[in-house]
Amino acid sequence: MRINFFEEYPTEENMAKLDFVDWPAIVFIAASSLREFEIIREKYRNKYRHITFGWWPIILSSYWISGFTYPADLDRLFTELTFKRYIKEFPILIDFELPIKNYFLLKNILYIIGNKKRISKFFTEAPQYNLKVYTAEYPVLTPLLRRFFLLLGISISFSFPHTKLPMCYSSIIKKYFGEWIWERIKKFERQFARLHIDRIGFGIGTTATGSIGNEPILTPQEFTSDLAWAKECGVKEVFIFRLGGLNESYVSVLEKFAEKE
């Protein structure tokens, strides 16, 4: 499998963990603007020539992207992304999650229909600009739940070009929903991945805390188990949340799974 990474906080300390990564990988860097991302990328691209840096856009108001995002914020983002056609394929992560502030769920509910049209238009046009779009999405355990996520604008149909990355963060799922739910999710996502094997990867984690601040951290044994499950599902790539959590114990696990060229 290709082992890739998310980095929500691209500080010098976190980005220095790229010293552990001696295989070709994509690293999605969170930034609130394309210019901010480009400044970070320029700082590291010459040192880590085997790394492909992709942009993970953060929306300042809602943080993540969904049907509940302010339409003006989506318009601004998609205009920024489609300002030019990129010579080399440019990886983009669209992080489909409900707004970080709960009051958006009521305040912005009437934006959902229009926002879904905006999102669909961007996904349709993205290949024209040489954008390789990945979507981080909640994992599901039933087809009905997936349809519900489509309705809310936190997922998108495979009729639009993209690669899905269900966030199969076992440490979080088991803590808040229990082992039984985690096993159901694994079963469903395994079947879904095998149906769409060229369009699915997995998010694996967590190895460090994120925006929530208290995410439980995987043990090396749990990390090994999750990567072995992903490999058994047949996916070609996984993304680890997050780069800054790498240490020698995790790297020794990754060495067993990383596809090196």
Side-chain angles (χ1 to χ4, degrees):
M1 292 184 301
R2 183 170 183 172
I3 307 293
N4 308 300
F5 299 91
F6 300 124
E7 184 45 63
E8 192 169 6
Y9 308 110
T11 63
E12 289 190 12
E13 180 182 3
N14 288 330
M15 296 301 288
K17 298 297 180 74
L18 286 171
D19 290 340
F20 283 122
V21 184
D22 62 359
W23 57 85
I26 298 172
V27 176
F28 277 118
I29 296 172
S32 58
S33 71
L34 182 57
R35 179 58 181 157
E36 180 185 348
F37 162 77
E38 288 174 338
I39 291 171
I40 298 168
R41 180 179 61 183
E42 289 304 312
K43 187 174 182 178
Y44 297 101
R45 71 189 312 178
N46 288 331
K47 182 176 180 180
Y48 303 106
R49 293 183 178 273
H50 60 296
I51 301 296
T52 299
F53 295 100
W55 183 27
W56 170 5
I58 297 298
I59 305 296
L60 292 179
S61 57
S62 59
Y63 201 75
W64 297 301
I65 293 170
S66 73
F68 298 90
T69 303
Y70 284 120
D73 288 339
L74 286 182
D75 290 340
R76 189 179 304 113
L77 170 62
F78 296 151
T79 298
E80 195 171 18
L81 281 169
T82 58
F83 177 73
K84 65 178 181 180
R85 188 182 192 279
Y86 295 88
I87 298 173
K88 293 180 62 178
E89 188 175 72
F90 184 18
I92 297 295
L93 178 68
I94 300 299
D95 191 354
F96 279 132
E97 299 186 57
L98 294 173
I100 199 165
K101 298 173 183 177
N102 291 334
Y103 67 80
F104 273 66
L105 299 178
L106 289 177
K107 183 179 180 182
N108 292 359
I109 192 169
L110 296 180
Y111 295 144
I112 291 177
I113 294 175
N115 280 343
K116 288 171 65 176
K117 292 178 181 178
R118 289 177 172 86
I119 292 168
S120 298
K121 181 175 183 291
F122 166 71
F123 274 75
T124 300
E125 296 176 348
Q128 301 174 27
Y129 298 92
N130 213 11
L131 299 173
K132 168 65 173 175
V133 182
Y134 292 79
T135 61
E137 303 183 18
Y138 296 123
V140 302
L141 62 163
T142 67
L144 181 61
L145 187 56
R146 186 173 296 281
R147 288 194 290 272
F148 181 61
F149 288 166
L150 287 168
L151 182 67
L152 293 180
I154 50 175
S155 182
I156 193 165
S157 165
F158 268 134
S159 62
F160 300 97
H162 69 290
T163 298
K164 286 189 188 298
L165 302 175
M167 296 176 286
C168 298
Y169 299 160
S170 67
S171 60
I172 295 175
I173 296 167
K174 287 192 284 188
K175 176 178 179 179
Y176 293 105
F177 301 100
E179 186 75 38
W180 184 81
I181 293 294
W182 171 236
E183 291 300 322
R184 290 285 304 275
I185 286 173
K186 284 201 299 181
K187 180 179 179 180
F188 182 89
E189 293 294 356
R190 179 191 297 115
Q191 294 171 344
F192 192 72
R194 288 175 176 174
L195 287 173
H196 307 280
I197 198 60
D198 293 325
R199 309 269 313 265
I200 290 281
F202 288 139
I204 300 293
T206 61
T207 65
T209 58
S211 57
I212 298 174
N214 62 351
E215 293 91 340
I217 306 304
L218 291 169
T219 66
Q221 293 75 23
E222 291 169 331
F223 194 41
T224 302
S225 177
D226 288 354
L227 287 166
W229 167 72
K231 184 176 181 179
E232 188 269 332
C233 290
V235 296
K236 297 178 180 179
E237 57 185 339
V238 297
F239 284 77
I240 310 302
F241 185 88
R242 58 184 174 81
L243 175 68
L246 281 188
N247 56 37
E248 292 184 358
S249 296
Y250 286 141
V251 172
S252 66
V253 174
L254 291 176
E255 290 284 349
K256 302 172 185 177
F257 294 93
E259 180 181 293
K260 300 189 177 183
E261 298 176 4

